[in-house]
Amino acid sequence: MSASSSSASSPAALPGDPPGGRRAVAVWSIGVAVYFVAVIFRTSLGVAGLDAADRFHVGASALSTFSILQLLVYAGMQIPVGLLVDRLGTKKVLAIGAVLFTAGQLGFAFSPSYGTALASRALLGCGDAMTFISVLRLGTRWFPVRRGPLVAQMAGLVGMAGNLVSTLVLARLLHGVGWTAAFAGSALAGAVVLVLLVLFLKDHPEGHEPEPMPHQGAVYVRRQIAAAWREPGTRLGLWVHFTTQFPAMVFLLLWGLPFLVEAQGLSRADAGELLTLVVVSNMAVGLVYGQIVARHHAARLPLALGTVAATATMWAVTLAYPGGRAPVWLLVVLCLVLGACGPASMIGFDFARPANPAERQGTASGITNMGGFVASMTTLFAVGVLLDATGDDYRIAFSVVFVLQALGVSQILRLRTKAARRERERLVASRVETVHVPA
């Protein structure tokens, strides 16, 4: 169905669809567990930002460099990872990712200086970059295509549960047992999931092996990227991801806690509860969005744009509140709305997925996944620079959110018609092929 279609039906079953079932859930759960741990490690700095500033004696700009470098590596790895997943399969790429992000978290625990800590976060970002695309590919290999939107949202939901662990568990460990013990202890989770995936994870069910692709070197790489990028659905997916994800990512990854404590005057405990509320809201909204998109593909664009509008409105009201300090009820509403950003960003994959064949899903997902992380990286850097330049004026610093949202919305509106037309053409072609498949 196109994004503008009035039809409410979900995608039809396609020939050769994987069967799904309990075994699919079991195998997919192992992959999601790896992603769950990666998110814990990725977001651990969000609850340790102020501690990191004290430990390494750095200001706002230098502190933001931790997350910027991590996201820079993550975003830069997305297309290579997509190509690797298409070439090597999920298991090998996930295993490499688990080794790298575990080493990064362990290195961060023992880093004696700002430079070594930066290197550790870069290593963590490299491993983290290999997880989500792999999990998306695992879902397409084990579940029927009609389950795609719900499976993707569920993966995102589990990832947010990892964020919840950072907010609730790691934060308490950090202030209970100290920096080194908290980060080194959490690294054990990486070793556990690595063992599980090596022993039990399989790339695909029996009888659903992908067609082998001959190695073509640089020609293969260029062809995969060019073919995925030519599809307007891939580009629309990227801009949907770009526009929807970054407000919550920036808030949770680094600047939410300082904003709530330093600008809004809350205690660390109260600020932590609001960060937790963002995560809980994300999980709840993810379930709702997944069900809606699975049943009504025409709802994809309205949900994405509606989330952008709600996020922009709440940030505007919060930042413009007289006196500079918003009441607690308004901050609660802001956090509830920010919780919709993650689920809305997942809709980007629901534009890229039907636009590309199975052998290009990893590459297309990698391109799409770059969007939100490029936006997050840009915003993290801009907020840090503006805070240092304005003497910690959070109103000015967070206004950069509106600039990136305006850019993203303009691109979504530019691409939506072309993507919808191309998706209709592919749907008609697939139905014609289904009719001609021999019984």
Side-chain angles (χ1 to χ4, degrees):
M1 291 295 170
S2 73
S4 59
S5 172
S6 60
S7 173
S9 62
S10 60
L14 297 179
D17 253 0
R22 292 182 180 178
R23 185 154 184 252
V25 172
V27 173
W28 177 78
S29 296
I30 296 172
V32 171
V34 179
Y35 175 55
F36 171 78
V37 173
V39 173
I40 294 176
F41 293 177
R42 178 201 305 169
T43 57
S44 58
L45 187 61
V47 296
L50 297 178
D51 299 88
D54 292 337
R55 180 179 177 87
F56 300 113
H57 310 291
V58 296
S61 295
L63 182 60
S64 67
T65 304
F66 277 122
S67 297
I68 291 168
L69 178 61
Q70 183 179 331
L71 292 183
L72 178 63
V73 172
Y74 187 104
M77 286 289 293
Q78 287 309 291
I79 292 178
V81 167
L83 291 164
L84 281 174
V85 171
D86 286 338
R87 286 287 305 164
L88 302 179
T90 299
K91 184 171 184 174
K92 291 179 181 178
V93 177
L94 269 182
I96 296 170
V99 170
L100 292 177
F101 67 61
T102 301
Q105 185 78 340
L106 197 60
F108 196 57
F110 293 100
S111 291
S113 66
Y114 178 69
T116 55
L118 274 179
S120 296
R121 295 307 286 187
L123 187 62
L124 192 157
C126 186
D128 181 20
M130 298 184 175
T131 58
F132 189 63
I133 299 302
S134 298
V135 170
L136 287 180
R137 170 63 173 257
L138 197 65
T140 62
R141 289 298 185 192
W142 279 91
F143 292 96
V145 66
R146 67 182 182 279
R147 300 293 185 192
L150 184 57
V151 169
Q153 287 287 356
M154 289 298 293
L157 187 151
V158 174
M160 289 310 297
N163 202 326
L164 194 61
V165 170
S166 288
T167 305
L168 295 178
V169 179
L170 191 58
R172 293 182 182 180
L173 281 175
L174 187 64
H175 300 126
V177 301
W179 179 281
T180 300
F183 281 100
S186 66
L188 292 174
V192 172
V193 295
L194 177 60
V195 171
L196 288 174
L197 81 89
V198 169
L199 292 178
F200 302 112
L201 191 137
K202 298 192 64 153
D203 283 340
H204 46 72
E206 290 79 4
H208 292 270
E209 295 82 0
E211 294 184 9
M213 291 183 295
H215 181 68
Q216 296 174 299
V219 174
Y220 164 78
V221 171
R222 289 196 299 269
R223 186 176 299 164
Q224 284 285 94
I225 295 173
W229 184 255
R230 278 196 300 269
E231 292 292 344
T234 304
R235 284 175 279 142
L236 178 59
L238 179 146
W239 284 108
V240 167
H241 200 269
F242 177 101
T243 314
T244 53
Q245 187 202 48
F246 79 92
M249 177 68 75
V250 168
F251 197 79
L252 289 170
L253 199 59
L254 184 61
W255 291 123
L257 188 68
F259 169 73
L260 294 172
V261 173
E262 297 177 353
Q264 300 302 313
L266 300 182
S267 67
R268 284 197 180 197
D270 290 339
E273 290 179 0
L274 286 178
L275 292 179
T276 302
L277 183 61
V278 176
V279 178
V280 173
S281 173
N282 183 298
M283 297 171 72
V285 175
L287 288 173
V288 175
Y289 277 21
Q291 293 286 352
I292 292 175
V293 174
R295 290 176 168 82
H296 310 281
H297 264 202
R300 289 174 298 175
L301 208 55
L303 282 177
L305 293 176
T307 301
V308 174
T311 304
T313 299
M314 289 313 304
W315 265 121
V317 172
T318 301
L319 296 177
Y321 199 85
R325 289 193 174 181
V328 173
W329 67 264
L330 182 56
L331 295 175
V332 168
V333 177
L334 172 66
C335 290
L336 288 172
V337 171
L338 286 175
C341 292
S345 72
M346 299 298 297
I347 296 173
F349 298 103
D350 293 316
F351 286 106
R353 189 183 302 111
N356 292 274
E359 63 271 15
R360 213 165 56 222
Q361 286 294 319
T363 305
S365 295
I367 292 172
T368 300
N369 207 32
M370 283 181 61
F373 289 93
V374 169
S376 297
M377 178 179 59
T378 304
T379 308
L380 283 166
F381 176 74
V383 169
V385 170
L386 289 172
L387 285 174
D388 282 344
T390 60
D392 293 338
D393 189 328
Y394 281 88
R395 284 184 170 183
I396 295 176
F398 272 109
S399 294
V400 72
V401 169
F402 307 119
V403 177
L404 269 74
Q405 285 183 322
L407 171 63
V409 168
S410 68
Q411 295 301 309
I412 291 171
L413 296 178
R414 181 179 68 86
L415 288 165
R416 72 188 193 282
T417 302
K418 187 182 297 184
R421 182 172 61 250
R422 177 67 175 143
E423 193 169 319
R424 280 196 301 270
E425 292 171 355
R426 291 185 67 92
L427 180 61
V428 170
S430 68
R431 285 176 174 171
V432 170
E433 290 177 5
T434 302
V435 169
H436 289 87
V437 170

